[in-house]
Amino acid sequence: MLKIKGLDKRFLVNGREVVALQNIDLDVKKGEFITIVGHSGCGKSTLLKIIAGLQSQDVGTITCHDRQILGPGTDRGMVFQEHRLLPWLTIRENVGFGLQGIDRKEKERLVEDHLRLVQLEGFGDAYPKQLSGGMAQRAAIARGLVNNPEVLLLDEPFGALDALTRIQMQKEVLRIWEEEKTTMILVTHDIDEAIYLGQRIVVMSARPGEIKAVIPVESSNAKDRGSTEFASIKKRVLRHFFAEEEWAAVEYAI
Amino acid sequence: MSNNRTRRYLTGSLLPILIALGWQAATGMALFTPAILPSMDRVFKSFVEMAASGQLAEDVLVSLSRVVKGYVVAVALGVVMGTFMGMSDFLHNFFSLTLNAIRQIPILAWIPLIILWFGIGEESKIAVIVLGAYFPVLVNTISGIRQTPQGYVEVARLYRLSRWTVFRKVYLPSALPQIFVGMKLGLGISWVAVVASELIAASAGIGFRISDARSLMQADVVIVGMIVIGVLGLLMDKALSLVFHKATPWTR
Ligand SMILES: Nc1ncnc2c1ncn2[C@@H]1O[C@H](COP(=O)(O)OP(=O)(O)O)[C@@H](O)[C@H]1O
Ligand SMILES: [Mg+2]
């Protein structure tokens, strides 16, 4: 459904060229859950922003259902690390923020449906700052989904949450994904999170930002953090982040 | 909460009480001649006389109406122009150097030119107020708009909202607290400006009354005028605060 071909992106930083993305190829199937892991600065956010249409690539093409992506569109939703709910709008207004040009009744219905989906019914009239971090992020997910996009892009959505809330939110997202069947691409630097959520894990390296490996998570056993499958996938992912001579020590530690 | 508030007001009213006591003591001991510092009694009597004759009400109404007219025009101009300059880098670069230079010129220095251009009628008095109140509103609107977090603008871009909608739903509410700061500063300057403007051939108004009383050596009338301006300005400032508080429920 989403086809990324030969994507390059460079930035000029203080007169020096930084290759943020190099030769990125990725095909995402409809309904798939893709997770992307990599060090910070390897171009993960840039990749998501290009898919969202907020930035443009230097080279390469992205198509969604064979249509070129040239700018933002309601077929793609996005959730950021900070919830980015507008402080002056209530949760209800925030969730409905992107719903333009539709009948008011329909809008109300969609907003209520999505508040229920993220289990925030009853908080519609609250302002964002009255919500906890996890609840605010759930509202942001509702806002991202309310347009019924083909794909939801999540850029380290739980990075700012405490460990327990994060685990709860991961479950929540999995449930939403199963309910809505929306294609999801989630960026994280938490390898456990990538394994727990992803059907395929895209491992990226920095400078230049490239895809090093795409690791499938086939067995459903792998979703159990205590399973041997989980541990073995974790090893396969970690393997890409360490040089040969470091690996022995790292392998021993996990 | 309300206990806290009572304490705040009590603390705040200590200084005026002390000043009044000091004033009373100084005049009681005849430290100054009445021409320099009249007694509180004397000032209060003048106040009652001016109020009874209807002169005070007339002066207040005349000045207040000038302040309101000039202020409203200044706020409208400042917010509209500040929004454009805040949202467009080109307009910002085009205007800011010139406007910054003009901003440095004190209102008093403008008065001769304003008289030449607008004459000595109402227009020139209102022009002085507009000129005084415009800049704080403008500068704060620009800075409020420009400080809008780009993350929110990015969210709006995701949904391809029109520029007008982005302004209404993102830039304006984000800038509102800062615009309010500018509006409060502008209101204060409006009172400065109205007194200055009434030095131009006026026949009524608190500013006129003060300068008229000065030439007649009536320090008591001068003080009545000053206190009236202080109290009116304070009331209007509080009223604005109340409106702003209601207009930005999310900041509570
Ligand atoms: N707008 C920008 N201007 C200049 N350089 C940028 C910009 N955005 C990202 N970069 C650079 O591109 C690289 C990748 O950034 P980013 O996509 O944010 O990485 P990640 O999300 O993986 O941490 C970094 O080196 C960053 O400094
Ligand atoms: Mg990032």
Side-chain angles (χ1 to χ4, degrees):
Chain A
M1 175 201 80
L2 191 75
K3 287 195 169 66
I4 304 173
K5 268 210 190 73
L7 211 66
D8 283 6
K9 176 75 181 176
R10 285 152 217 274
F11 288 109
L12 267 181
V13 183
N14 302 327
R16 278 191 44 236
E17 200 167 69
V18 174
V19 182
L21 294 172
Q22 179 163 296
N23 201 19
I24 302 291
D25 287 313
L26 188 66
D27 277 8
V28 181
K29 293 192 264 303
K30 189 167 170 54
E32 199 174 17
F33 204 133
I34 297 276
T35 50
I36 303 177
V37 280
H39 286 297
S40 88
C42 72
K44 306 182 297 292
S45 296
T46 305
L47 179 57
L48 283 202
K49 280 187 183 177
I50 293 175
I51 299 174
L54 291 172
Q55 286 185 349
S56 54
Q57 66 270 34
D58 298 327
V59 182
T61 54
I62 308 185
T63 55
C64 185
H65 286 302
D66 298 322
R67 267 184 299 119
Q68 280 248 32
I69 288 176
L70 298 169
T74 47
D75 54 339
R76 285 147 290 144
M78 186 151 180
V79 177
F80 302 87
Q81 177 166 356
E82 333 82 65
H83 56 70
R84 296 198 189 179
L85 298 172
L86 300 173
W88 41 87
L89 300 184
T90 62
I91 296 305
R92 182 173 286 112
E93 292 165 337
N94 264 295
V95 171
F97 183 65
L99 281 174
Q100 301 290 313
I102 65 165
D103 162 80
R104 221 190 62 196
K105 273 254 160 57
E106 177 70 0
K107 180 168 175 172
E108 273 168 22
R109 189 186 64 77
L110 280 169
V111 169
E112 289 312 315
D113 280 356
H114 285 82
L115 282 176
R116 202 170 317 115
L117 176 72
V118 299
Q119 303 186 330
L120 281 179
E121 60 266 75
F123 290 93
D125 293 321
Y127 282 105
K129 77 167 186 188
Q130 296 172 295
L131 264 54
S132 69
M135 288 160 88
Q137 205 52 288
R138 274 190 275 175
I141 292 172
R143 177 176 67 185
L145 286 172
V146 79
N147 280 303
N148 195 24
E150 290 279 350
V151 50
L152 186 66
L153 310 163
L154 303 107
D155 191 357
E156 304 194 31
F158 315 135
L161 303 178
D162 65 82
L164 291 176
T165 312
R166 193 180 316 161
I167 289 176
Q168 212 180 349
M169 289 296 292
Q170 290 164 0
K171 274 192 190 156
E172 200 67 351
V173 160
L174 219 46
R175 175 185 63 78
I176 291 169
W177 174 63
E178 278 156 7
E179 245 173 77
E180 298 286 292
K181 302 182 176 61
T182 310
T183 312
M184 301 221 179
I185 305 180
L186 179 141
V187 162
T188 177
H189 52 233
D190 177 347
I191 294 172
D192 288 13
E193 181 169 286
I195 302 169
Y196 180 71
L197 293 174
Q199 292 178 305
R200 283 193 294 155
I201 304 169
V202 175
V203 182
M204 286 183 66
S205 69
R207 283 185 199 91
E210 283 180 312
I211 295 183
K212 273 204 161 173
V214 180
I215 297 168
V217 182
E218 269 140 2
S219 145
S220 60
N221 253 348
K223 297 286 163 199
D224 174 359
R225 288 170 214 257
S227 68
T228 48
E229 282 93 339
F230 191 93
S232 97
I233 292 173
K234 188 167 179 177
K235 240 185 215 175
R236 282 184 66 192
V237 174
L238 275 171
R239 187 70 188 80
H240 290 282
F241 292 110
F242 294 96
E244 206 65 50
E245 56 277 14
E246 295 170 316
W247 179 242
V250 173
E251 191 176 24
Y252 180 74
I254 23 179
Chain B
M1 271 321 239
S2 98
N3 200 2
N4 218 329
R5 201 152 125 186
T6 318
R7 188 175 311 161
R8 198 148 46 92
Y9 282 129
L10 280 177
T11 314
S13 50
L14 280 179
L15 189 56
I17 292 171
L18 284 176
I19 291 173
L21 288 174
W23 182 4
Q24 188 74 300
T27 50
M29 292 187 287
L31 289 180
F32 305 99
T33 63
I36 290 176
L37 185 65
S39 70
M40 244 190 322
D41 279 0
R42 183 63 237 143
V43 171
F44 187 69
K45 272 201 196 100
S46 296
F47 171 76
V48 173
E49 281 163 20
M50 287 162 74
S53 70
Q55 190 193 54
L56 186 63
E58 196 205 335
D59 286 337
V60 164
L61 275 179
V62 167
S63 291
L64 195 62
S65 121
R66 287 172 183 153
V67 163
V68 169
K69 283 179 197 153
Y71 180 65
V72 167
V73 173
V75 167
L77 284 177
V79 169
V80 170
M81 181 129 179
T83 299
F84 280 110
M85 285 176 65
M87 289 184 71
S88 151
D89 282 341
F90 172 77
L91 291 178
H92 188 260
N93 297 339
F94 185 78
F95 283 113
S96 64
L97 181 70
T98 312
L99 287 175
N100 259 327
I102 295 175
R103 190 157 70 91
Q104 310 305 322
I105 305 169
I107 309 171
L108 283 173
W110 276 101
I111 289 183
L113 209 54
I114 286 179
I115 293 175
L116 287 176
W117 289 348
F118 294 95
I120 53 170
E122 277 309 290
E123 292 86 354
S124 61
K125 296 180 182 63
I126 290 172
V128 172
I129 298 169
V130 172
L131 205 56
Y134 170 68
F135 285 105
V137 178
L138 177 80
V139 169
N140 281 283
T141 304
I142 294 173
S143 119
I145 297 276
R146 286 171 80 91
Q147 278 169 30
T148 303
Q150 279 310 298
Y152 297 150
V153 179
E154 215 166 53
V155 171
R157 279 183 57 209
L158 277 178
Y159 300 108
R160 307 167 63 120
L161 304 182
S162 69
R163 246 177 121 65
W164 169 242
T165 311
V166 180
F167 166 70
R168 230 166 19 94
K169 295 214 165 160
V170 181
Y171 283 100
L172 183 63
S174 175
L176 216 46
Q178 181 90 43
I179 293 176
F180 288 163
V181 169
M183 285 175 66
K184 284 184 137 198
L185 287 171
L187 184 62
I189 293 186
S190 294
W191 282 102
V192 176
V194 78
V195 171
S197 79
E198 284 172 0
L199 299 174
I200 316 169
S203 55
I206 303 179
F208 160 76
R209 192 61 55 207
I210 290 174
S211 64
D212 186 52
R214 185 197 56 84
S215 59
L216 298 173
M217 300 286 282
Q218 297 171 326
D220 48 339
V221 177
V222 172
I223 293 175
V224 170
M226 290 168 67
I227 293 178
V228 166
I229 290 177
V231 170
L232 271 180
L234 186 69
L235 287 178
M236 286 174 78
D237 186 77
K238 289 275 174 225
L240 275 190
S241 294
L242 208 70
V243 172
F244 297 163
H245 186 74
K246 286 259 184 273
T248 56
W250 65 90
T251 57
R252 262 167 248 166

